[in-house]
Amino acid sequence: MAAPILSGVRKLLKHVHFATIPRRHRHKKKWAATEPKFPAVRLALQNFDMTYSVQFGDLWPSIRVSLLSEQKYGALVNNFAAWDHVSAKLEELSARDFVNEAISHWELEPESGQSGAPSPASWACSPNLRCFTFARGDVSRFPPARLGSLGVMDYYLMDAASLLPVLALGLQPGDIVLDLCAAPGGKTLALLQTGCCNLAANDLSTSRIGRLQKVLHSYVPEEIRDGNQVRVTSWDGRKWGELEGDTYDRVLVDVPCTTDRHSLHEEENNIFQRSRKKERQMLPMLQVQLLAAGLLATKPGGHVVYSTCSLSHLQNEYVVQGTIELLANQYSIEVQVEDLTHFRRLFMDTFCFFPSCQVGELVIPNLMANFGPMYFCKMRRLT
């Protein structure tokens, strides 16, 4: 995929200012050190302070303190468990199902004079998803999930914003769906919860596939895991357009990224480790290749949702716009970005959205609603 747009991505990378260590602090130790002089989490914060203070301006201090604070979670109800009993238990905790609450509210709005609002049928969230959160400003925690009476776990704890790309995909009964970068498995599990798709779940990393398989084993009945509803593979996602082109109705491309919140809290598997600098700089290139492969794997008329858990516009809008240009120039394939304004309005009571994305939507962390970051953009392959 050595195309002009990829050289364009390379040029973009030259303008990314990755945090450097002041020369006066550079020295080699003469003995082995178990603790790095500059931990990856500190390098990540330096990098974010340099880049995001420019990208977000006055919003950055609020986002920064939220990223450094405890994350908020949602409880995705497992429909393969006794979901009605599970939902009742979560309601007793004073949590609310933000998905169905938002959809119910939207359906009632035309009666209160909002006749210009689109009907739910016209934008079609993926169905049958139930996810409970605590209200804005409520920092209560959900208890750990338990094994239910039907032999599977009751609910799955996740960043509730991670459900938005799955909801935006708009699954319909009978859809053939690809989750191109599926591990560790939260979004894959959510796709299966809809009960209306045949799913291919792929991830290149065999260790991450192991985590995905563990999630499926804990939450999905054996007859579904071993049947034809889900197929798990470990292939190079960049080649999917060649392997299964023009095949899928819906594709989720949840790409590897700088995982901003993780990078500020965990040394293990942190992409800001010195040894991973080249890998980090090449992320936008990889993301373009994966999104292009996802679009090539989609049938004409089908939909793709691209998502990251990064705030970086280099990994978000730039990747989307660059990939669309790539497919137009190299494959004569036209891709249209879908307007998600209605989607932002639908869930703005639960999440804090950045108001100025060029394309797609971005959930930004906020102390009152400390979810995200989560960027997602929905596209339709026209030709």
Side-chain angles (χ1 to χ4, degrees):
M1 206 167 283
I5 189 59
L6 294 189
S7 63
V9 172
R10 289 191 189 98
K11 290 175 184 174
L12 284 172
L13 290 174
K14 292 178 183 177
H15 299 294
V16 183
H17 299 293
F18 293 96
T20 56
I21 304 304
R23 181 171 293 278
R24 65 180 180 276
H25 293 312
R26 295 180 196 163
H27 65 278
K28 290 185 178 179
K29 286 193 175 182
K30 296 180 181 179
W31 57 85
T34 56
E35 190 71 22
K37 181 66 176 175
F38 286 90
V41 292
R42 180 172 168 185
L43 292 175
L45 186 57
Q46 286 182 351
N47 179 279
F48 295 161
D49 279 337
M50 292 172 66
T51 56
Y52 293 158
S53 60
V54 176
Q55 184 178 332
F56 293 100
D58 292 342
L59 277 176
W60 172 236
S62 167
I63 298 172
R64 184 186 196 270
V65 72
S66 303
L67 277 172
L68 292 169
S69 302
E70 185 175 346
Q71 182 178 13
K72 197 166 180 175
Y73 283 89
L76 175 67
V77 175
N78 187 5
N79 290 333
F80 302 116
W83 63 264
D84 48 351
H85 174 73
V86 176
S87 296
K89 287 290 186 185
L90 291 170
E91 286 172 359
E92 288 175 10
L93 298 174
S94 299
R96 60 189 184 88
D97 178 357
F98 83 87
V99 179
N100 290 291
E101 187 177 279
I103 291 173
S104 299
H105 177 71
W106 194 263
E107 288 171 340
L108 293 172
E109 274 201 352
E111 295 177 17
S112 53
Q114 303 292 326
S115 56
S119 67
S122 70
W123 44 260
C125 279
S126 296
N128 304 324
L129 292 170
R130 303 171 178 89
C131 187
F132 283 77
T133 59
F134 292 106
R136 275 181 177 257
D138 185 342
V139 294
S140 302
R141 299 177 185 176
F142 289 102
R146 298 190 309 177
L147 194 67
S149 58
L150 300 182
V152 290
M153 303 295 278
D154 282 343
Y155 53 80
Y156 182 83
L157 292 178
M158 64 193 300
D159 183 334
S162 296
L163 197 60
L164 296 177
V166 177
L167 285 162
L169 200 52
L171 267 59
Q172 301 294 310
D175 276 348
I176 302 171
V177 179
L178 169 64
D179 187 354
L180 190 59
C181 310
K187 294 182 182 70
T188 306
L189 179 62
L191 289 166
L192 287 172
Q193 296 298 317
T194 65
C196 62
C197 68
N198 291 310
L199 178 64
N202 178 73
D203 202 281
L204 177 60
S205 167
T206 50
S207 62
R208 285 169 60 85
I209 280 289
R211 292 171 64 190
L212 169 64
Q213 294 279 25
K214 187 176 179 181
V215 168
L216 295 179
H217 191 270
S218 299
Y219 286 86
V220 180
E222 184 178 359
E223 61 270 19
I224 292 177
R225 295 197 314 269
D226 298 340
N228 59 3
Q229 281 185 253
V230 57
R231 169 174 60 113
V232 178
T233 56
S234 185
W235 298 343
D236 186 342
R238 295 172 295 182
K239 300 178 180 177
W240 212 279
E242 305 161 27
L243 295 168
E244 293 184 338
D246 304 343
T247 299
Y248 294 91
D249 300 297
R250 318 265 167 172
V251 176
L252 177 63
V253 186
D254 183 48
V255 294
C257 66
T258 46
T259 54
D260 292 1
R261 193 184 285 270
H262 171 87
S263 293
L264 290 176
H265 291 274
E266 301 289 340
E267 283 295 311
E268 186 178 353
N269 198 32
N270 192 315
I271 200 163
F272 284 88
Q273 292 167 355
R274 291 175 183 273
S275 60
R276 300 181 70 183
K277 181 178 179 181
K278 184 70 172 177
E279 178 189 353
R280 187 171 77 247
Q281 292 174 330
M282 294 303 291
L283 272 175
M285 180 84 71
L286 172 64
Q287 291 159 344
V288 166
Q289 291 173 311
L290 287 167
L291 178 53
L295 284 160
L296 290 170
T298 308
K299 297 174 182 176
H303 289 87
V304 172
V305 169
Y306 173 81
S307 62
T308 78
C309 50
S310 172
L311 293 163
S312 171
H313 56 191
L314 287 172
Q315 298 175 63
N316 297 338
E317 296 104 313
Y318 283 27
V319 167
V320 170
Q321 292 165 329
T323 307
I324 290 173
E325 186 179 331
L326 166 68
L327 290 189
N329 292 339
Q330 297 298 308
Y331 297 92
S332 299
I333 290 175
E334 187 180 356
V335 176
Q336 174 182 288
V337 172
E338 302 273 275
D339 181 13
L340 290 175
T341 304
H342 61 274
F343 202 84
R344 181 175 73 241
R345 291 176 182 158
L346 187 64
F347 296 112
M348 65 192 304
D349 288 345
T350 302
F351 305 101
C352 183
F353 288 91
F354 180 56
S356 306
C357 280
Q358 297 173 32
V359 290
E361 298 292 342
L362 174 64
V363 173
I364 54 175
N366 180 284
L367 284 177
M368 295 296 287
N370 205 0
F371 301 106
M374 179 57 56
Y375 174 80
F376 56 103
C377 182
K378 185 175 185 178
M379 289 153 271
R380 184 169 180 236
R381 178 175 164 180
L382 299 179
T383 56

